[in-house]
Amino acid sequence: YKIKKILSTEKEGYIIFDAILDRNNNLWAATNRGLIKKSKNKIKLFTQKNGISGIRVLSTFLSSDGILWFGTNRGLIKLVTQNMLVYKKLLGSNPQSFICFYWDKLNKSMYVGTAGGVYIISGEKIKKFNNKYVSSFPIWDIEKDKKGNFYFASEGGGLIKVGKNGKTIKYTKENGSLPGNNVTDILLKNNKIYVACKKGFSIYNNDKWKIYTIKNGLPVSYVRCLYEDLDGSILLGTLGAGILRYKNGNFYNIKNNNNNKETKAIFDLLLYKNFLWAATNYGLLKIDRDGNSKFYSTESGILPYGLSVLLPVNNYLWIGSDGGAMLFDIDKEKVVKILTKDDGLPGDEFTTHNAIAKDSDNNIWFGLFGGIAKISNMGLNKISDNKLNPKILISEISFYSNNKIHILKGIKRNKITLPHNAKEIRIKFEVIWFRNEYSLKIDYKLAGVNKKWIPIKSFKNMEIYFTYIPPGRHLLLLKISSIYSKKNISKKIIDIVVKTPWWKKPEYLISILFLLIILITISIVIIIKWKTRKLSKEKEKLNKLVKERTKQLEILNLKLEEKNKILKEMSEHDYLTNLFNRRYFMNSLKFLDKISKRESKLEVCFIMFDIDNFKKINDIYGHFIGDKVLIETAKILKENLRESDLIARYGGEEFIIALLKTNRENCLKVAEKLRKLVESNEIITEKGKIKITISGGISCIDFKNKELNDIEKAINLADENLYKAKKGGKNKILG
């Protein structure tokens, strides 16, 4: 035998606790300073910076399905892919939101737009893009023209151009370039610049800007993303009007067979394989040139979360969502791979439609709330399902017999025997399966008792319940299905043997009948009384048991109602201010039209409020104080309104109020009263007292006047009046 030294650890101070070879013949070593991977002649160290949860890695284990497990001083971790590199911090900063990517082919560098500026990752080196104005805003998109000039889409700072010499040019609403300063996407084409904003759409051509809003032809204000069609026209993904085509100064709707609410909000667009693909809140939309469309949702394995970004890779689509990443097979028309935090991602929620990119080395980059994940080989390795072979462990069997509850734990046998009078049998079990819960479906059947498979509804407390099992031998089966591959297996859990009562056994029947014949002539009266008393007691006990179980069910129903009430409250209210959220507010307004049919006169006024200089408050006092300002302001506004009035947090530091049966004169009075109350209030904080002001804009509609009953126009008018109040000096009401 020859002894060869593979890893030298003496000089570096490493202590090796455990080691293992994976199926690809890579050596993994658990050490006191991280996890070491040796592949041929390459050695790589995994630490907290690229995915290991603890500093000390103490043990290793390779499961039968090829997944590597490691025990650390911070808990248990698994390595689903060996080709994922995670960035949670860049140059010591932790911006949390990693919004967009731009791959510079010339310099082989990845530009990363974050909530705290732009970073450049080149190989192992990371540096920050040196521009103060760019670093002041979250960056939604990065583009570079043929001359080497960079363009940055910012949230709040407009479109920023940084030349090769470092000269910065700002295109904003204030200098007449854009409809708003929240820029969502950029498209550079044929010396033209197309800019998508939350307030409209702009085009730069021949040193002139052309602005489109809902006032001059744009059907909706919020433009989310841009894409060039094969004919040179520009496709616009909007939030509210679906997909639009811009050509020769006009906008046209892209029609499809699914023109409903599911396709009105478009978060990303892609032309691939002769189809137009769109990411929506409800699933994936595919449209051909004739307008024929197909919608893919949970039936195709799409996660039940809003989709935000698309990227083509070979014959697949990488899809980013609010619940993780999905790899969609275009030919099979289904999801074949899902990545979440359980698989090593630094987060589950993708940020924007520019939060996926591919570099020249075929690495895929994901931008999430929480970090960046860089996956090699385009993330296509091991895309097929692992062999479906979960382990099943019975944790507890309980039943009611002889006036008490019996509990059996640590079941290791394949068969269990129950008495003939066993009732309310509960079998609790666990399915050991290294996947997310939503990837499995579990059904059970007791042979000889259940004719059909019965689904397990809760994965948190997996339990099978029988009120009664007849005497005999019954096999309890589980059917476990993979939702995405549609494979399933049936597994035996346990044989349940219920004893036959002694009085039903043949050998005792003759003796019992003989004794009964003798005794029936002697003590028929005594037997009848005894039987009656016994049955009465049994009935009383059963009635008591039924009452107890009914009471338990009532308690469970009350808890369920309470949880449903909490969930409904969370879906309708803003988590910070406890006001209604924007979605609830807009849905509530739909009932005004119905109310107007019963009323002889119905006027409704809207007030849009915005906290003045709120960004400055956040910058000076911090976001915690900023949140307190929002809470205090919301409290003042809500407490000084009628019960019939509707108030909601519209977004950020902006609030909206609907005053029912109120004319413009009274609306101005209410708005001015609220403004003065906020102005006179002092907010006490750890950093001192803060006085704030608000600006407002109002508008009114009359449901009996067809020309003045457009709710959306009224809200937009209130928003415009708010903007005028802000621009005209703040701390005032206009309308």
Side-chain angles (χ1 to χ4, degrees):
Y1 296 92
K2 292 183 179 180
I3 297 176
K4 182 180 179 181
K5 199 170 199 179
I6 299 174
L7 294 172
S8 177
T9 60
E10 296 176 0
K11 295 181 180 179
E12 292 81 2
Y14 284 90
I15 301 173
I16 297 177
F17 298 110
D18 198 3
I20 198 169
L21 281 172
D22 64 20
R23 293 182 176 180
N24 297 320
N25 210 33
N26 300 313
L27 176 65
W28 297 83
T31 80
N32 61 325
R33 293 174 62 181
L35 182 65
I36 295 175
K37 173 190 175 185
K38 184 179 185 301
S39 177
K40 295 182 179 179
N41 296 322
K42 294 182 179 180
I43 295 178
K44 185 174 182 179
L45 176 65
F46 291 86
T47 65
Q48 286 177 305
K49 293 181 179 179
N50 54 1
I52 297 298
S53 60
I55 299 172
R56 286 172 171 251
V57 184
L58 304 171
S59 60
T60 64
F61 174 73
L62 179 65
S63 67
S64 59
D65 52 4
I67 295 178
L68 284 166
W69 294 81
F70 303 98
T72 78
N73 64 330
R74 295 282 181 87
L76 183 67
I77 60 173
K78 67 176 179 178
L79 190 69
V80 176
T81 173
Q82 303 171 14
N83 302 301
M84 184 184 298
L85 180 62
V86 174
Y87 299 87
K88 291 187 177 180
K89 294 183 178 182
L90 299 175
L91 292 178
S93 66
N94 189 7
Q96 292 296 320
S97 301
F98 297 83
I99 305 171
C100 66
F101 297 107
Y102 172 77
W103 175 249
D104 192 336
K105 296 180 181 178
L106 183 62
N107 299 316
K108 288 193 173 183
S109 301
M110 183 64 77
Y111 285 71
V112 184
T114 75
V118 176
Y119 294 83
I120 306 169
I121 302 176
S122 181
E124 300 294 327
K125 296 180 180 180
I126 302 174
K127 67 178 181 178
K128 192 168 185 180
F129 188 81
N130 186 21
N131 187 288
K132 291 184 178 180
Y133 192 73
V134 172
S135 299
S136 300
F137 305 97
I139 302 301
W140 277 56
D141 191 17
I142 304 170
E143 299 293 340
K144 185 179 181 183
D145 63 20
K146 295 178 181 179
K147 297 179 181 179
N149 302 310
F150 277 94
Y151 295 83
F152 301 92
S154 76
E155 185 173 22
L159 176 65
I160 308 167
K161 177 182 178 181
V162 180
K164 292 179 68 175
N165 57 1
K167 182 181 179 181
T168 302
I169 301 176
K170 307 163 192 173
Y171 301 103
T172 63
K173 180 177 181 179
E174 288 72 21
N175 60 30
S177 304
L178 306 174
N181 290 331
N182 290 329
V183 180
T184 57
D185 206 5
I186 309 167
L187 179 62
L188 305 179
K189 200 67 182 176
N190 299 328
N191 297 320
K192 294 182 182 180
I193 306 174
Y194 299 90
V195 183
C197 299
K198 292 183 180 179
K199 293 287 186 179
F201 174 59
S202 284
I203 304 172
Y204 182 75
N205 184 25
N206 296 326
D207 298 326
K208 292 182 180 180
W209 283 96
K210 175 66 177 177
I211 299 175
Y212 293 95
T213 65
I214 55 175
K215 294 181 179 180
N216 63 341
L218 189 64
V220 68
S221 59
Y222 197 141
V223 182
R224 179 76 174 193
C225 59
L226 303 172
Y227 206 91
E228 184 189 15
D229 204 348
L230 297 176
D231 62 358
S233 61
I234 305 301
L235 301 177
L236 289 72
T238 73
L239 300 191
I243 306 171
L244 301 176
R245 183 190 303 280
Y246 171 80
K247 192 170 185 179
N248 299 326
N250 296 308
F251 296 93
Y252 308 93
N253 280 101
I254 301 291
K255 296 183 179 180
N256 64 83
N257 300 338
N258 297 84
N259 268 330
N260 50 38
K261 69 173 184 177
E262 295 179 343
T263 60
K264 292 297 183 184
I266 304 297
F267 291 86
D268 197 13
L269 291 172
L270 173 68
L271 280 171
Y272 192 60
K273 299 288 184 181
N274 297 317
F275 290 100
L276 176 60
W277 303 83
T280 79
N281 249 340
Y282 301 92
L284 180 65
L285 177 66
K286 180 178 75 172
I287 310 173
D288 66 14
R289 285 290 167 184
D290 297 322
N292 300 311
S293 65
K294 188 170 183 179
F295 195 75
Y296 303 97
S297 57
T298 52
E299 292 79 7
S300 301
I302 301 291
L303 294 174
Y305 305 98
L307 308 187
S308 54
V309 56
L310 306 171
L311 179 73
V313 175
N314 292 348
N315 212 39
Y316 300 91
L317 289 182
W318 269 115
I319 305 173
S321 74
D322 292 341
M326 294 164 278
L327 190 63
F328 182 82
D329 190 317
I330 293 175
D331 291 334
K332 296 180 181 178
E333 296 186 312
K334 70 173 185 176
V335 172
V336 294
K337 186 173 186 179
I338 292 177
L339 294 178
T340 67
K341 288 178 71 174
D342 293 340
D343 303 301
L345 294 183
D348 285 337
E349 187 176 356
F350 281 74
T351 50
T352 70
H353 57 284
N354 293 313
I356 287 183
K358 181 170 75 73
D359 60 27
S360 299
D361 296 323
N362 288 327
N363 299 310
I364 304 297
W365 298 67
F366 294 159
L368 307 115
F369 288 106
I372 298 171
K374 174 186 172 185
I375 305 175
S376 62
N377 299 324
M378 296 189 291
L380 299 179
N381 57 318
K382 298 182 181 178
I383 63 173
S384 59
D385 282 331
N386 294 326
K387 185 179 179 182
L388 189 64
N389 188 27
K391 308 300 179 189
I392 300 169
L393 173 67
I394 296 178
S395 57
E396 179 181 299
I397 297 178
S398 63
F399 60 91
Y400 185 84
S401 173
N402 297 327
N403 300 324
K404 66 178 182 179
I405 296 175
H406 303 265
I407 299 175
L408 307 176
K409 294 186 177 181
I411 308 298
K412 296 182 179 179
R413 296 165 291 170
N414 294 325
K415 184 176 75 171
I416 186 169
T417 302
L418 300 178
H420 68 86
N421 60 351
K423 302 171 184 177
E424 299 184 30
I425 302 103
R426 298 179 185 273
I427 302 171
K428 296 182 179 180
F429 65 96
E430 300 290 340
V431 177
I432 303 173
W433 182 244
F434 302 134
R435 289 191 178 186
N436 297 309
E437 292 175 356
Y438 46 70
S439 67
L440 292 182
K441 181 177 180 294
I442 301 177
D443 304 278
Y444 73 89
K445 180 167 69 174
L446 185 63
V449 176
N450 303 121
K451 294 182 179 180
K452 297 181 179 180
W453 290 98
I454 302 171
I456 299 291
K457 295 181 179 180
S458 173
F459 276 24
K460 293 183 178 180
N461 298 301
M462 284 186 277
E463 180 181 274
I464 298 173
Y465 174 77
F466 300 99
T467 55
Y468 167 77
I469 298 177
R473 183 171 182 171
H474 308 281
L475 183 62
L476 182 60
L477 300 171
L478 272 190
K479 183 172 72 173
I480 304 172
S481 310
S482 171
I483 293 174
Y484 305 114
S485 67
K486 296 184 179 179
K487 298 177 181 176
N488 66 77
I489 61 167
S490 295
K491 281 209 165 193
K492 168 187 171 182
I493 298 184
I494 197 168
D495 272 335
I496 300 176
V497 178
V498 180
K499 291 182 177 179
T500 303
W502 62 270
W503 59 86
K504 290 185 178 181
K505 294 180 179 179
E507 59 265 31
Y508 293 108
L509 287 177
I510 296 175
S511 300
I512 292 172
L513 289 172
F514 181 75
L515 289 173
L516 283 174
I517 292 171
I518 297 174
L519 292 174
I520 201 167
T521 58
I522 301 172
S523 57
I524 186 169
V525 175
I526 297 174
I527 293 174
I528 291 173
K529 289 183 178 180
W530 178 80
K531 281 284 184 180
T532 303
R533 187 166 54 251
K534 183 179 179 181
L535 288 172
S536 178
K537 288 183 179 180
E538 285 291 329
K539 182 179 180 181
E540 184 180 345
K541 290 175 184 177
L542 286 172
N543 288 336
K544 184 178 179 181
L545 181 62
V546 169
K547 288 181 180 179
E548 289 176 356
R549 295 296 177 255
T550 303
K551 188 175 181 180
Q552 290 176 0
L553 288 172
E554 289 175 352
I555 293 172
L556 289 173
N557 285 331
L558 287 174
K559 289 182 178 179
L560 181 60
E561 288 177 3
E562 184 178 349
K563 289 183 179 179
N564 287 335
K565 185 178 179 182
I566 292 171
L567 288 173
K568 185 175 184 297
E569 183 78 11
M570 291 174 66
S571 70
E572 295 177 349
H573 287 76
D574 173 51
Y575 76 98
L576 181 65
T577 64
N578 203 33
L579 297 179
F580 289 121
N581 57 30
R582 181 173 181 175
R583 179 184 293 175
Y584 179 83
F585 182 87
M586 296 306 292
N587 286 337
S588 298
L589 296 181
K590 296 176 182 178
F591 296 100
L592 291 177
D593 192 48
K594 296 181 180 179
I595 295 173
S596 68
K597 294 177 181 178
R598 302 196 306 265
E599 300 285 339
S600 60
K601 183 179 181 180
L602 179 60
E603 288 185 77
V604 178
C605 291
F606 297 98
I607 309 175
M608 295 283 284
F609 280 122
D610 188 273
I611 300 175
D612 297 329
N613 304 313
F614 185 71
K615 184 179 183 301
K616 187 176 180 181
I617 292 172
N618 275 334
D619 291 343
I620 295 174
Y621 298 98
H623 288 278
F624 180 79
I625 302 301
D627 289 348
K628 188 171 183 180
V629 168
L630 287 170
I631 294 168
E632 289 287 333
T633 304
K635 184 179 179 183
I636 292 170
L637 296 177
K638 185 176 182 180
E639 289 179 350
N640 290 277
L641 291 172
R642 301 173 300 180
E643 288 187 5
S644 61
D645 298 331
L646 185 63
I647 181 171
R649 183 179 178 189
Y650 202 65
E653 66 272 20
E654 201 169 15
F655 304 89
I656 187 167
I657 300 172
L659 304 178
L660 304 183
K661 297 185 179 181
T662 303
N663 56 30
R664 182 180 178 277
E665 182 181 352
N666 289 331
C667 179
L668 279 171
K669 290 179 181 180
V670 173
E672 185 62 25
K673 173 189 173 183
L674 295 174
R675 183 195 67 77
K676 290 179 179 180
L677 286 172
V678 173
E679 182 182 23
S680 62
N681 184 55
E682 289 185 344
I683 299 174
I684 301 173
T685 70
E686 296 178 354
K687 298 183 180 180
K689 297 179 179 178
I690 300 175
K691 291 182 72 64
I692 65 169
T693 62
I694 59 175
S695 298
I698 72 166
S699 67
C700 297
I701 60 175
D702 184 355
F703 277 88
K704 296 303 179 179
N705 187 339
K706 292 184 178 180
E707 295 179 357
L708 299 174
N709 67 353
D710 193 321
I711 293 175
E712 184 176 352
K713 286 184 179 179
I715 292 175
N716 287 334
L717 180 57
D719 194 28
E720 290 174 6
N721 289 332
L722 166 62
Y723 174 75
K724 291 175 183 178
K726 297 283 283 188
K727 192 173 182 181
K730 302 178 181 177
N731 194 20
K732 60 175 63 176
I733 308 297
L734 291 180

